[in-house]
């Protein structure tokens, strides 16, 4: 078994909140090892004063000193996990500053998280898996070209996608709503193979990602089973032709949202989640249904409306739907309601996820919601940036999986798929 990935924890409050055991369990499940960087008492005040951020909490002062020890090389680590209580404004400021400081002065991957008393190992699992993936597979994530014949499968919460690639070109696609996980995966793979005129036996390597990645990966005897944070960010910069330099990836999914900063194709920091499904693609699906249009028609409809005319609350999907119904009952046009829904989701993603990462251009939107032009427009307005939507953006996880899976062909791991 490979040595555990050493994850330095910088935090304030997890012991008091009873979530430290959950953090440890999440790290252990992906062969990670949480540790606290050792710092001398005499160094704490020196580091704190040198950092230049005035805080009162002793635990936050200690976190600052530990961060400086990591950057200065006094303590070695493979990755960094920054955790503070969501109720503390002072901690939120420190969390963001430490994340920015470590990213600017080291190559350590960082994830920051604001926990509650209900935080579980399950909610932390994907984040911990992404941290350990970046630490272990940096060379794989640096891959810029797809080689051979590879298959990528993205078993998402809302849709299941498959992409077949050959020598850096997409030759087959498959897409359908997720119902039965394995059945949907097999059907989208069959569609992609039929479109390419190939058989499964022709495929040299398979990669899976998404919520159903483990079940689908086992069923297809996949060479690569990897969480969606690293896979999607890699797929995004690959499709957008932005594998060199900085980029920011935004993926508004059916259940949760992801914001990822990337440098030279390697994820640096990321955040995922959301307060409620009201800030996700699921809310937009419900909006389209209530307006009597297909989800593919919601974007063009929103582009004809003025969202500012309709108050919309998408912090909660229930209250958001109530706002939608009230607006229609008050005489608002469908166009204005569609625009308001798109703006509301963009606003919540901006407030919940994008505050946790440093936005650097180009900003790339991916996933099925990136095809909703009203949402892309609303996000661009909020950020004052022209958003990039690459071709095949809705297949982003499958593309990233197919690209990365090709790294296993030359290693002789072709299992005769």
């Amino acid at each position: 078994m490979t040595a555990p990935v050493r994850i330095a924890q910088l935090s304030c409050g997890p012991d008091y909140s009873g979530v430290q055991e959950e953090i440890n369990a999440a790290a252990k499940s992906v062969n990670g090892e949480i540790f606290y960087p050792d710092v001398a008492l005499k160094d704490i005040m020196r580091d704190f004063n040198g950092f230049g951020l005035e805080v009162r909490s002793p635990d936050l002062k200690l976190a600052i000193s530990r961060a400086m020890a990591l950057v200065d090389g006094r303590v070695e680590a493979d990755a960094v996990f920054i955790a503070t209580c969501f109720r503390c404004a002072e901690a939120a400021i420190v969390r963001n500053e430490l994340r920015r400081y470590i990213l600017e002065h080291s190559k350590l991957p960082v994830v920051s998280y604001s926990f509650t008393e209900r935080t579980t190992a399950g909610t932390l699992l994907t984040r911990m898996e992404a941290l350990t993936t970046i630490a272990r597979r940096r060379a794989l994530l640096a891959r810029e070209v797809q080689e051979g014949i590879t298959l990528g499968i993205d078993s998402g919460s809302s849709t299941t996608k498959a992409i077949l690639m050959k020598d850096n070109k997409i030759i087959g696609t498959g897409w359908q709503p997720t119902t039965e996980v394995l059945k949907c995966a097999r059907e989208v793979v069959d569609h992609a193979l039929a479109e390419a005129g190939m058989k499964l036996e022709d495929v040299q390597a398979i990669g899976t990602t998404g919520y159903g990645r483990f079940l689908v990966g086992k069923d297809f005897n996949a060479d690569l089973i990897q969480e969606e944070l690293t896979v999607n960010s890699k797929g995004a910069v690959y499709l957008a032709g932005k594998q060199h330099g900085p980029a920011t990836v935004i993926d508004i999914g059916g259940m949760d949202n992801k914001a990822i900063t990337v440098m030279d194709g390697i994820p640096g920091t990321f955040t995922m989640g959301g307060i409620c499904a009201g800030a996700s693609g699921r809310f937009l699906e419900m909006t389209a249904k209530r307006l009597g249009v297909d989800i593919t028609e919601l974007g063009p409809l929103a582009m004809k409306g003025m969202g500012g005319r309709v108050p919309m609350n998408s912090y909660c999907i229930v209250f958001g739907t109530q706002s939608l119904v009230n607006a229609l009952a008050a005489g608002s046009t469908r166009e204005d309601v569609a625009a308001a829904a798109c703006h509301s989701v963009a606003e919540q993603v901006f407030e919940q996820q994008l505050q946790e990462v440093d936005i650097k251009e180009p900003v790339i939107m991916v996933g099925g919601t990136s095809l909703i032009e009203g949402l892309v427009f609303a996000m661009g307005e909020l950020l004052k940036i022209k958003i990039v939507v690459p071709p095949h953006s809705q297949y982003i996880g499958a593309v990233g999986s197919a690209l990365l899976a090709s790294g296993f062909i030359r290693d002789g791991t072709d299992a005769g798929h």
Side-chain angles (χ1 to χ4, degrees):
M1 188 175 182
T2 58
V5 171
R6 285 173 49 79
I7 304 171
Q9 180 173 316
L10 312 178
S11 59
C12 179
D15 289 318
Y16 312 128
S17 302
V19 300
Q20 187 59 51
E21 289 186 6
E22 302 296 327
I23 294 172
N24 294 339
K28 187 176 180 181
S29 68
V30 292
N31 197 23
E33 179 182 66
I34 294 289
F35 77 99
Y36 294 99
D38 287 331
V39 290
L41 185 60
K42 64 181 178 62
D43 293 335
I44 294 177
M45 287 310 298
R46 182 201 65 198
D47 291 341
F48 170 67
N49 291 331
F51 195 74
L53 186 64
E54 186 61 39
V55 296
R56 295 185 178 183
S57 167
D59 282 350
L60 292 176
K61 291 179 180 179
L62 180 57
I64 289 172
S65 182
R66 285 171 168 163
M68 295 188 74
L70 290 169
V71 167
D72 293 345
R74 287 177 274 151
V75 177
E76 292 187 0
D78 300 315
V80 184
F81 179 66
I82 307 174
T84 64
C85 176
F86 85 106
R87 288 193 177 96
C88 181
E90 182 178 65
I93 293 171
V94 173
R95 185 178 71 243
N96 282 338
E97 289 302 317
L98 290 184
R99 169 185 51 78
R100 186 176 293 113
Y101 171 73
I102 293 169
L103 282 173
E104 288 178 355
H105 297 91
S106 76
K107 292 186 176 181
L108 292 169
V110 181
V111 64
S112 59
Y113 187 74
S114 56
F115 57 81
T116 71
E117 293 87 346
R118 296 183 179 181
T119 294
T120 65
T123 61
L124 295 169
L125 180 60
T126 300
R127 296 168 178 83
M128 288 295 182
E129 189 181 350
L131 271 180
T132 56
T133 296
I134 297 169
R136 286 195 184 102
R137 293 179 165 172
R138 203 170 191 89
L140 180 66
L141 290 169
R143 171 171 289 275
E144 296 184 0
V145 176
Q146 184 275 341
E147 297 172 307
I149 302 172
T150 60
L151 174 66
I153 308 168
D154 180 4
S155 178
S157 62
S158 297
T159 58
T160 302
K161 288 80 65 178
I163 282 285
L164 191 66
M165 297 186 73
K166 180 180 180 181
D167 299 333
N168 215 38
K169 292 182 180 179
I170 294 171
I171 59 172
T173 65
W175 179 99
Q176 71 176 54
T178 301
T179 51
E180 298 178 46
V181 172
L182 287 181
K183 181 174 179 287
C184 290
R186 291 165 185 159
E187 288 178 356
V188 295
V189 167
D190 286 345
H191 191 281
L193 289 169
E195 189 176 284
M198 289 191 173
K199 297 180 180 179
L200 191 59
E201 293 76 27
D202 298 323
V203 177
Q204 296 171 283
I206 296 175
T208 65
T209 192
Y211 284 93
R213 63 188 177 277
F214 295 109
L215 184 63
V216 174
K218 182 179 179 181
D219 189 59
F220 279 87
N221 191 25
D223 303 274
L224 175 74
I225 302 173
Q226 195 160 301
E227 38 64 42
E228 56 269 29
L229 282 162
T230 54
V231 170
N232 286 16
S233 59
K234 187 62 192 180
V237 295
Y238 170 80
L239 285 179
K242 303 293 182 182
Q243 298 198 74
H244 297 158
T248 306
V249 177
I250 300 173
D251 181 359
I252 301 175
M255 270 181 52
D256 60 37
N257 311 313
K258 306 167 190 72
I260 313 157
T261 61
V262 186
M263 176 57 74
D264 293 333
I266 308 293
T269 187
F270 44 85
T271 182
M272 67 178 291
I275 293 174
C276 178
S280 73
R282 189 73 72 191
F283 177 65
L284 296 177
E285 287 180 0
M286 291 187 65
T287 299
K289 185 176 181 180
R290 184 64 182 80
L291 294 177
V293 299
D294 187 80
I295 187 66
T296 59
E297 301 173 74
L298 185 66
L301 192 68
M303 294 299 289
K304 298 175 183 176
M306 295 287 290
R309 295 174 182 166
V310 179
M312 185 72 67
N313 177 0
S314 75
Y315 273 108
C316 170
I317 199 165
V318 175
F319 294 141
T321 304
Q322 187 177 36
S323 297
L324 187 153
V325 171
N326 289 341
L328 290 172
S332 296
T333 67
R334 295 194 312 159
E335 289 82 1
D336 287 348
V337 170
C342 288
H343 181 81
S344 182
V345 170
E347 189 174 44
Q348 299 314 321
V349 173
F350 177 76
E351 292 180 2
Q352 295 171 26
Q353 271 78 51
L354 299 183
Q355 303 305 312
E356 295 284 339
V357 299
D358 293 322
I359 303 294
K360 295 186 188 249
E361 294 189 68
V363 175
I364 308 167
M365 278 188 70
V366 294
T369 58
S370 67
L371 302 183
I372 302 174
E373 56 184 310
L375 178 61
V376 175
F377 176 78
M379 186 63 72
E381 277 201 322
L382 280 172
L383 295 176
K384 308 300 180 188
I385 290 172
K386 182 170 177 56
I387 304 292
V388 175
V389 179
H392 294 101
S393 62
Q394 71 271 38
Y395 294 100
I396 197 69
V399 171
S401 294
L403 169 65
L404 296 176
S406 69
F408 290 81
I409 294 175
R410 291 182 175 178
D411 296 335
T413 54
D414 180 4
H417 300 291

